[in-house]
Amino acid sequence: MAVSSTFARVFPSPFECRSDPDFSGAPRPENASSGRKIGAGGVRSYGGGGMSSSLILRFPPNFVRQLSTKARRNCSNIGVAQVVAASWSNNPAAAAPAAKAVDAASAALAPVEVAAGVEEGVLVEESCCNGVKKIESLSDEKSYSFLSSDGSIAIHAGERLGRGVVSDALTTPIFNTSAYFFKTTAELIDFKEKRRASFEYGRYGNYTTVVAEEKISALEGAESTLILASGMTASTVMLLALVPAGGHIVTTTDCYRKTRIFIETILPKMGITATVIDPADIEGLESALNKNKVTLFFTESPTNPFLRCVDIELVSKLCHDKGALVCIDGTFATPLNQKALSLGADIVLHSATKYIGGHNDVIAGCISGSEKLISAVRNLHHILGGLINPNAAYLIIRGMKTLHLRIQQQNSTGLRMAEILEAHPKVNCVYYPGLPSHPEHHLAKRQMTGFGGVVSFEVDGDLLKTAKFVDALKIPYIAPSFGGCESIVDQPAIMSYWDLCQSDRAKFGILDNLVRFSFGVEDFEDLKADVLQALETI
């Protein structure tokens, strides 16, 4: 196929490339640069000069018409664009005339038959990976480092500011693929011997999922993030990967019940024991660290459902002095209200189903931390499975773009409603870290910038009277989740602990009159009126 002669007639010399897909025709600045690098978890993206994105070849208007059908079928327009852009980025000084650049592209493409319409990348000195162009990093500076707002980072990290996929789509494409192919056996061997990057199989990674991971890493200030099928998958795989057989962990009394069940019934089968302490029991933690060879301290902060807070900075110091890791489940806090890693934790975990996804339409979990720790969890994850579907990853990406707006509203509503409930004569007790009455209020103020939209409280009544209050509410759904746009309410004694008798529930502090209310993004006055009218019914 005489590709070079065709391109020499079509393209001016030299080619012109630009860094943003605006099709304005403006030439790319000479001093602009961009970079990509692929780490253990997939595509890691950086931009030189602080702001750049995928190089896209600027085609003349009649480009497609001047290519023969056979030429387009065999090499694909995008494939050639990737070859040229990659070769330019790897060697900017060699901005050769059209014939030379395309001769190199033609030589690389010649043995390959590609179906029409398929966006196909070509390996040019390891510059791309099965459809995704890889350019060696020209700068270690994060492409979003100039942004001061978590809201802006949540919108642009992993996409405009460092997208790993050559595309001019404004939103991230969904890569519905179960495997990644190699055009030749030589490419496969290069991959096996780590000279070529690829995910190889869908369980090992997906380009849509990488974008979601990059966004969460950017918000948490983490080197790496792994996103999984659910929050429980994230918790269980993390514990199995980081705690050796016969190891010992420390956890807290107040926590998600399924996490407690896993720690109490599954881990002991591997000889892993646990010490359970109150979230504020620092002496208990020190005692456990002195008596046992503790591998990991694992807790939520705030906890579920009483929103207790752990002094992350202090427990991290105590644990690190004894060689133990610290993992904080920050689901209730979100990456916007609390930065657990900056406070000293080694790993932060989220049920992304909740605030991060934010629309009650997706289930996911994630862990963030150092490349070394997350890689260890990722290796076990590749064996166990439990991967997130790329369509679900896209919903996480979409949800995160409104995260800061939702959190602002939910922080405000949560605090105002907690104050109203605490002052109401038909409410016995309110659990919310933003209230001065909360046992860790001063700690929460120090390590959190907002207190979230979940408020737990005990009404003045028994099981049936409390159920009457819940049923009288008109806005929230009765459901077992939180953090979404829609308000959700549940009575934990029924929703989560109904299989236990009343006395056994009380051992965990779950009284019959306890209510957990997740305030959504509805108007505050509407929610206030609804809660007050429901209280009047009891």
Side-chain angles (χ1 to χ4, degrees), residues 303-324:
T303 61
N304 181 21
F306 295 108
L307 302 162
R308 300 289 302 279
C309 296
V310 173
D311 190 333
I312 300 173
E313 188 173 6
L314 178 57
V315 301
S316 296
K317 182 181 184 304
L318 293 174
C319 289
H320 292 163
D321 287 345
K322 294 292 185 176

Side-chain angles (χ1 to χ4, degrees), residues 183-444:
K183 292 183 289 296
T184 65
T185 301
E187 285 189 1
L188 174 58
I189 293 173
D190 283 342
F191 164 70
K192 293 296 183 180
E193 295 183 355
K194 303 188 186 306
R195 293 188 297 271
R196 177 184 178 86
S198 173
F199 290 125
E200 181 186 13
Y201 188 57
R203 192 169 73 250
Y204 306 144
N206 179 280
Y207 296 116
T208 308
T209 303
V210 164
V211 172
E213 292 174 340
E214 287 291 334
K215 285 186 181 295
I216 296 168
S217 288
L219 289 178
E220 292 289 5
E223 290 180 1
S224 182
T225 291
L226 173 64
I227 191 164
L228 304 94
S230 69
M232 274 306 301
T233 303
S235 298
T236 56
V237 175
M238 182 275 299
L239 288 167
L240 292 173
L242 299 182
V243 183
H248 191 86
I249 66 174
V250 179
T251 188
T252 54
T253 51
D254 191 31
C255 68
Y256 178 52
R257 189 184 177 197
K258 292 299 189 293
T259 304
R260 181 189 294 117
I261 290 172
F262 182 79
I263 290 173
E264 292 178 346
T265 65
I266 305 300
L267 291 184
K269 295 179 181 180
M270 287 160 275
I272 297 173
T273 54
T275 297
V276 183
I277 62 173
D278 184 88
D281 188 3
I282 298 300
E283 291 183 1
L285 173 61
E286 290 178 314
S287 176
L289 289 169
N290 290 329
K291 292 179 180 178
N292 307 280
K293 185 172 177 54
V294 177
T295 305
L296 178 73
F297 175 74
F298 177 45
T299 186
E300 302 161 8
S301 187
T303 61
N304 181 21
F306 295 108
L307 302 162
R308 300 289 302 279
C309 296
V310 173
D311 190 333
I312 300 173
E313 188 173 6
L314 178 57
V315 301
S316 296
K317 182 181 184 304
L318 293 174
C319 289
H320 292 163
D321 287 345
K322 294 292 185 176
L325 298 172
V326 174
C327 177
I328 300 296
D329 183 333
T331 300
F332 277 83
T334 79
L336 271 63
N337 283 335
Q338 180 176 275
K339 307 288 188 185
L341 298 181
S342 67
L343 291 168
D346 300 287
I347 299 171
V348 60
L349 181 149
H350 293 278
S351 170
T353 307
K354 312 305 192 293
Y355 287 105
I356 290 178
H359 289 75
N360 292 317
D361 59 2
V362 63
I363 294 179
C366 61
I367 60 168
S368 304
S370 69
E371 188 72 50
K372 180 180 179 181
L373 288 175
I374 302 304
S375 292
V377 181
R378 194 186 304 274
N379 289 338
L380 181 60
H381 167 61
H382 288 170
I383 297 171
L384 297 179
L387 70 153
I388 188 174
N389 183 279
N391 296 275
Y394 177 84
L395 291 176
I396 295 296
I397 295 167
R398 185 210 59 181
M400 289 185 68
K401 295 183 180 183
T402 59
L403 178 62
H404 64 298
L405 301 174
R406 292 184 282 105
I407 293 302
Q408 288 172 12
Q409 177 76 1
Q410 289 165 306
N411 283 345
S412 173
T413 298
L415 179 59
R416 294 165 74 184
M417 286 305 308
E419 292 170 343
I420 291 170
L421 287 165
E422 189 172 49
H424 200 283
K426 294 185 178 180
V427 175
N428 293 341
C429 182
V430 178
Y431 304 97
Y432 188 74
L435 294 176
S437 59
H438 190 276
E440 286 88 42
H441 172 64
H442 294 293
L443 171 61

Side-chain angles (χ1 to χ4, degrees), residues 86-110:
S87 62
W88 265 56
S89 298
N90 290 335
N91 189 7
K100 288 186 178 180
V102 178
D103 280 341
S106 178
L109 285 165

Side-chain angles (χ1 to χ4, degrees), residues 17 52 63 82 157 167 250 253 280 297 299 337 350 474 490 493:
C17 293
S52 64
F63 170 75
Q82 288 177 316
S167 170
V250 179
T253 51
F297 175 74
T299 186
N337 283 335
H350 293 278
K474 299 176 181 178
D490 78 85

